[in-house]
Amino acid sequence: MSTVCILIRTAPGNDPEALEMAMALAAFEHKISLLFQGAGIFWLLNTQEARKPGGKSPAKIINALPMYDCETVYYAEDDLQAFNIPAASINKLAQPLSNPQIPSLLSSAQYCLSF
């Protein structure tokens, strides 16, 4: 199947559409990589509550990604400093990616989606 890179640049909202799309694509055997950039890095914070009553916590959804074979998860390394986020606060599934490495990740995918 195809390779898809999903860029998440917006902070968590009420509904996790981008992550649900990633899991759905992976369920149909597409190879998924996720890059959290800018305000999107807030999805990766370990201690988060659901954004609406009866909703899903962003942290729980991130932790469920490996069950859907979404194990290639990155964040823009420079955003830690930009938002003053300690590295220990970021989910362990995500790996840092430097700005020079990001174009390589994007060019390796057949499709790129941005949220």
Side-chain angles (χ1 to χ4, degrees), residues 11-12 36-48 75-91 96:
F36 294 85
Q37 199 173 29
I41 198 168
F42 292 107
W43 280 96
L44 298 174
L45 295 179
N46 289 317
T47 54
Q48 294 191 64
Y75 63 90
E77 187 174 45
D78 291 348
D79 290 336
L80 288 180
Q81 284 185 325
F83 291 105
N84 198 26
I85 299 172
S89 298
I90 299 294
N91 190 295

Side-chain angles (χ1 to χ4, degrees), residues 1-6 22 25-34 68-72 74 105 108-111:
M1 286 282 170
S2 60
T3 58
V4 180
C5 182
I6 299 177
L25 288 169
F28 287 97
E29 298 183 10
H30 296 281
K31 185 178 178 201
I32 305 299
S33 58
L34 293 156
Y68 293 87
D69 293 326
C70 294
E71 297 173 345
T72 309
Y74 300 103
L105 173 68
S108 70
Q110 291 172 304
Y111 301 98

Side-chain angles (χ1 to χ4, degrees), residues 9-67:
R9 295 178 173 149
T10 57
N14 288 342
D15 295 304
E17 295 100 350
L19 295 178
E20 288 174 343
M21 175 180 268
M23 292 185 285
L25 288 169
F28 287 97
E29 298 183 10
H30 296 281
K31 185 178 178 201
I32 305 299
S33 58
L34 293 156
L35 173 61
F36 294 85
Q37 199 173 29
I41 198 168
F42 292 107
W43 280 96
L44 298 174
L45 295 179
N46 289 317
T47 54
Q48 294 191 64
E49 299 295 324
R51 299 290 194 256
K52 65 180 183 181
K56 299 174 187 172
S57 158
K60 286 184 181 179
I61 297 169
I62 296 293
N63 286 328
L65 289 173
M67 291 188 298

